[in-house]
Short mmCIF file of all heavy atoms in Angstrom, two decimals:
data_model
loop_
_atom_site.label_atom_id
_atom_site.label_comp_id
_atom_site.label_asym_id
_atom_site.label_seq_id
_atom_site.Cartn_x
_atom_site.Cartn_y
_atom_site.Cartn_z
N ASN A 1 -1.25 -10.08 2.99
CA ASN A 1 -1.94 -8.94 3.60
C ASN A 1 -3.24 -9.40 4.23
O ASN A 1 -3.95 -10.24 3.66
CB ASN A 1 -2.26 -7.87 2.55
CG ASN A 1 -1.01 -7.14 2.09
OD1 ASN A 1 -0.01 -7.12 2.79
ND2 ASN A 1 -1.07 -6.55 0.91
N ILE A 2 -3.58 -8.85 5.39
CA ILE A 2 -4.88 -9.10 5.98
C ILE A 2 -5.92 -8.36 5.15
O ILE A 2 -5.87 -7.13 5.02
CB ILE A 2 -4.95 -8.61 7.44
CG1 ILE A 2 -3.94 -9.36 8.30
CG2 ILE A 2 -6.36 -8.79 8.00
CD1 ILE A 2 -4.25 -10.84 8.48
N TRP A 3 -6.84 -9.09 4.55
CA TRP A 3 -7.89 -8.46 3.77
C TRP A 3 -9.10 -8.13 4.65
O TRP A 3 -9.58 -7.01 4.68
CB TRP A 3 -8.30 -9.36 2.60
CG TRP A 3 -9.38 -8.76 1.75
CD1 TRP A 3 -9.58 -7.42 1.50
CD2 TRP A 3 -10.42 -9.44 1.05
NE1 TRP A 3 -10.66 -7.24 0.69
CE2 TRP A 3 -11.21 -8.46 0.39
CE3 TRP A 3 -10.75 -10.78 0.91
CZ2 TRP A 3 -12.30 -8.81 -0.38
CZ3 TRP A 3 -11.83 -11.11 0.13
CH2 TRP A 3 -12.61 -10.13 -0.51
N LYS A 4 -9.57 -9.12 5.40
CA LYS A 4 -10.74 -8.91 6.24
C LYS A 4 -10.53 -9.57 7.60
O LYS A 4 -9.93 -10.65 7.70
CB LYS A 4 -12.00 -9.51 5.60
CG LYS A 4 -12.51 -8.77 4.39
CD LYS A 4 -13.78 -9.44 3.86
CE LYS A 4 -14.34 -8.70 2.65
NZ LYS A 4 -15.57 -9.36 2.13
N ILE A 5 -11.05 -8.93 8.64
CA ILE A 5 -11.16 -9.54 9.96
C ILE A 5 -12.65 -9.71 10.24
O ILE A 5 -13.41 -8.75 10.17
CB ILE A 5 -10.50 -8.66 11.04
CG1 ILE A 5 -9.01 -8.49 10.72
CG2 ILE A 5 -10.70 -9.27 12.42
CD1 ILE A 5 -8.33 -7.47 11.59
N LEU A 6 -13.05 -10.92 10.54
CA LEU A 6 -14.47 -11.26 10.60
C LEU A 6 -15.00 -11.42 12.01
O LEU A 6 -16.15 -11.83 12.20
CB LEU A 6 -14.72 -12.54 9.80
CG LEU A 6 -14.28 -12.48 8.33
CD1 LEU A 6 -14.49 -13.83 7.65
CD2 LEU A 6 -15.04 -11.40 7.58
N VAL A 7 -14.18 -11.10 13.02
CA VAL A 7 -14.61 -11.22 14.42
C VAL A 7 -14.29 -9.93 15.16
O VAL A 7 -13.54 -9.07 14.66
CB VAL A 7 -13.94 -12.42 15.11
CG1 VAL A 7 -14.38 -13.73 14.48
CG2 VAL A 7 -12.42 -12.28 15.08
N GLU A 8 -14.84 -9.81 16.35
CA GLU A 8 -14.56 -8.67 17.22
C GLU A 8 -14.06 -9.18 18.57
O GLU A 8 -14.31 -10.33 18.94
CB GLU A 8 -15.82 -7.83 17.43
CG GLU A 8 -16.39 -7.23 16.16
CD GLU A 8 -17.68 -6.48 16.42
OE1 GLU A 8 -18.21 -6.60 17.55
OE2 GLU A 8 -18.15 -5.78 15.50
N GLN A 9 -13.37 -8.32 19.31
CA GLN A 9 -12.91 -8.68 20.64
C GLN A 9 -14.12 -9.00 21.52
O GLN A 9 -15.12 -8.28 21.52
CB GLN A 9 -12.10 -7.55 21.25
CG GLN A 9 -11.45 -7.91 22.58
CD GLN A 9 -10.47 -6.85 23.04
OE1 GLN A 9 -10.04 -6.01 22.25
NE2 GLN A 9 -10.10 -6.89 24.31
N GLY A 10 -14.02 -10.12 22.27
CA GLY A 10 -15.11 -10.55 23.13
C GLY A 10 -16.11 -11.47 22.46
O GLY A 10 -16.99 -12.03 23.12
N GLN A 11 -15.98 -11.67 21.14
CA GLN A 11 -16.92 -12.52 20.41
C GLN A 11 -16.66 -13.99 20.69
O GLN A 11 -15.51 -14.43 20.76
CB GLN A 11 -16.80 -12.24 18.92
CG GLN A 11 -17.76 -13.03 18.05
CD GLN A 11 -17.67 -12.62 16.58
OE1 GLN A 11 -17.28 -11.49 16.26
NE2 GLN A 11 -18.04 -13.53 15.70
N ILE A 12 -17.72 -14.75 20.87
CA ILE A 12 -17.62 -16.20 21.05
C ILE A 12 -17.67 -16.86 19.67
O ILE A 12 -18.55 -16.56 18.87
CB ILE A 12 -18.75 -16.73 21.94
CG1 ILE A 12 -18.65 -16.12 23.34
CG2 ILE A 12 -18.72 -18.25 22.02
CD1 ILE A 12 -19.82 -16.44 24.23
N VAL A 13 -16.70 -17.73 19.40
CA VAL A 13 -16.63 -18.37 18.09
C VAL A 13 -16.56 -19.88 18.26
O VAL A 13 -16.18 -20.39 19.31
CB VAL A 13 -15.41 -17.89 17.27
CG1 VAL A 13 -15.51 -16.39 17.00
CG2 VAL A 13 -14.11 -18.21 17.99
N LYS A 14 -16.93 -20.59 17.22
CA LYS A 14 -16.90 -22.04 17.20
C LYS A 14 -15.68 -22.54 16.44
O LYS A 14 -15.17 -21.86 15.55
CB LYS A 14 -18.17 -22.59 16.54
CG LYS A 14 -19.46 -22.22 17.27
CD LYS A 14 -19.53 -22.90 18.62
CE LYS A 14 -20.87 -22.62 19.30
NZ LYS A 14 -20.94 -23.27 20.64
N LYS A 15 -15.24 -23.74 16.76
CA LYS A 15 -14.13 -24.36 16.05
C LYS A 15 -14.43 -24.43 14.55
O LYS A 15 -15.52 -24.82 14.15
CB LYS A 15 -13.88 -25.77 16.59
CG LYS A 15 -12.74 -26.50 15.91
CD LYS A 15 -12.53 -27.88 16.52
CE LYS A 15 -11.40 -28.63 15.83
NZ LYS A 15 -11.18 -29.97 16.41
N GLY A 16 -13.47 -24.02 13.74
CA GLY A 16 -13.63 -24.04 12.30
C GLY A 16 -14.21 -22.77 11.72
O GLY A 16 -14.26 -22.60 10.49
N GLU A 17 -14.66 -21.85 12.57
CA GLU A 17 -15.22 -20.59 12.08
C GLU A 17 -14.10 -19.72 11.51
O GLU A 17 -12.98 -19.69 12.04
CB GLU A 17 -15.92 -19.88 13.22
CG GLU A 17 -16.73 -18.65 12.80
CD GLU A 17 -17.55 -18.08 13.94
OE1 GLU A 17 -17.83 -18.83 14.90
OE2 GLU A 17 -17.90 -16.90 13.88
N THR A 18 -14.38 -19.00 10.43
CA THR A 18 -13.38 -18.15 9.80
C THR A 18 -13.18 -16.89 10.64
O THR A 18 -14.13 -16.15 10.91
CB THR A 18 -13.78 -17.75 8.37
OG1 THR A 18 -13.96 -18.95 7.60
CG2 THR A 18 -12.69 -16.91 7.72
N ILE A 19 -11.94 -16.66 11.05
CA ILE A 19 -11.59 -15.52 11.89
C ILE A 19 -11.15 -14.32 11.04
O ILE A 19 -11.50 -13.18 11.30
CB ILE A 19 -10.45 -15.90 12.87
CG1 ILE A 19 -10.89 -17.07 13.75
CG2 ILE A 19 -10.03 -14.70 13.70
CD1 ILE A 19 -12.08 -16.78 14.62
N ALA A 20 -10.33 -14.60 10.02
CA ALA A 20 -9.79 -13.55 9.16
C ALA A 20 -9.46 -14.15 7.80
O ALA A 20 -9.45 -15.38 7.63
CB ALA A 20 -8.55 -12.92 9.79
N ILE A 21 -9.21 -13.28 6.83
CA ILE A 21 -8.81 -13.73 5.48
C ILE A 21 -7.52 -13.02 5.10
O ILE A 21 -7.42 -11.80 5.17
CB ILE A 21 -9.91 -13.43 4.44
CG1 ILE A 21 -11.20 -14.18 4.79
CG2 ILE A 21 -9.44 -13.81 3.04
CD1 ILE A 21 -12.37 -13.86 3.89
N ILE A 22 -6.53 -13.83 4.75
CA ILE A 22 -5.24 -13.30 4.28
C ILE A 22 -5.24 -13.33 2.76
O ILE A 22 -5.63 -14.32 2.14
CB ILE A 22 -4.07 -14.15 4.82
CG1 ILE A 22 -4.03 -14.08 6.35
CG2 ILE A 22 -2.74 -13.67 4.23
CD1 ILE A 22 -2.98 -14.99 6.96
N GLU A 23 -4.77 -12.25 2.16
CA GLU A 23 -4.62 -12.17 0.71
C GLU A 23 -3.15 -12.26 0.38
O GLU A 23 -2.34 -11.46 0.87
CB GLU A 23 -5.21 -10.86 0.20
CG GLU A 23 -5.04 -10.67 -1.30
CD GLU A 23 -5.48 -9.28 -1.73
OE1 GLU A 23 -4.79 -8.31 -1.37
OE2 GLU A 23 -6.51 -9.16 -2.40
N ALA A 24 -2.79 -13.26 -0.42
CA ALA A 24 -1.41 -13.40 -0.88
C ALA A 24 -1.45 -13.45 -2.40
O ALA A 24 -1.82 -14.46 -2.98
CB ALA A 24 -0.77 -14.66 -0.30
N MET A 25 -1.10 -12.35 -3.04
CA MET A 25 -1.21 -12.18 -4.48
C MET A 25 -2.65 -12.48 -4.91
O MET A 25 -3.55 -11.80 -4.50
CB MET A 25 -0.18 -13.06 -5.20
CG MET A 25 1.26 -12.74 -4.79
SD MET A 25 1.75 -11.03 -5.08
CE MET A 25 2.23 -11.12 -6.79
N LYS A 26 -2.87 -13.52 -5.69
CA LYS A 26 -4.23 -13.74 -6.19
C LYS A 26 -4.98 -14.81 -5.41
O LYS A 26 -5.97 -15.36 -5.90
CB LYS A 26 -4.20 -14.09 -7.67
CG LYS A 26 -3.18 -15.15 -8.04
CD LYS A 26 -3.05 -15.27 -9.53
CE LYS A 26 -1.95 -16.24 -9.93
NZ LYS A 26 -0.61 -15.73 -9.57
N MET A 27 -4.52 -15.13 -4.19
CA MET A 27 -5.20 -16.14 -3.38
C MET A 27 -5.75 -15.50 -2.12
O MET A 27 -5.16 -14.58 -1.56
CB MET A 27 -4.24 -17.27 -2.99
CG MET A 27 -3.70 -18.06 -4.17
SD MET A 27 -2.61 -19.40 -3.64
CE MET A 27 -1.21 -18.47 -3.00
N GLU A 28 -6.91 -16.00 -1.68
CA GLU A 28 -7.50 -15.58 -0.42
C GLU A 28 -7.53 -16.78 0.52
O GLU A 28 -8.13 -17.80 0.20
CB GLU A 28 -8.91 -15.03 -0.65
CG GLU A 28 -8.89 -13.74 -1.47
CD GLU A 28 -10.27 -13.31 -1.92
OE1 GLU A 28 -11.27 -13.92 -1.47
OE2 GLU A 28 -10.37 -12.38 -2.74
N LEU A 29 -6.85 -16.65 1.65
CA LEU A 29 -6.62 -17.79 2.54
C LEU A 29 -7.29 -17.53 3.89
O LEU A 29 -6.89 -16.63 4.63
CB LEU A 29 -5.13 -17.99 2.75
CG LEU A 29 -4.33 -18.15 1.44
CD1 LEU A 29 -2.86 -17.97 1.69
CD2 LEU A 29 -4.61 -19.51 0.83
N PRO A 30 -8.31 -18.31 4.24
CA PRO A 30 -8.99 -18.11 5.52
C PRO A 30 -8.16 -18.60 6.70
O PRO A 30 -7.42 -19.58 6.59
CB PRO A 30 -10.28 -18.92 5.36
CG PRO A 30 -9.97 -19.95 4.34
CD PRO A 30 -8.94 -19.35 3.42
#
């Protein structure tokens, strides 16, 4: 499940920056 989205449309991001976090049971995967 998508837990959090950490960016917005039009936002400039750098390589390696966390875009979203997926939750799979008891793990949170960036």
Side-chain angles (χ1 to χ4, degrees):
N1 288 338
I2 298 293
W3 180 32
K4 289 182 179 179
I5 299 171
L6 303 176
V7 295
E8 298 176 351
Q9 187 171 343
Q11 182 175 335
I12 297 172
V13 298
K14 298 293 184 181
K15 180 179 179 180
E17 189 173 338
T18 302
I19 301 298
I21 298 175
I22 297 175
E23 177 187 69
M25 301 302 275
K26 48 190 175 292
M27 297 181 292
E28 294 170 9
L29 305 164

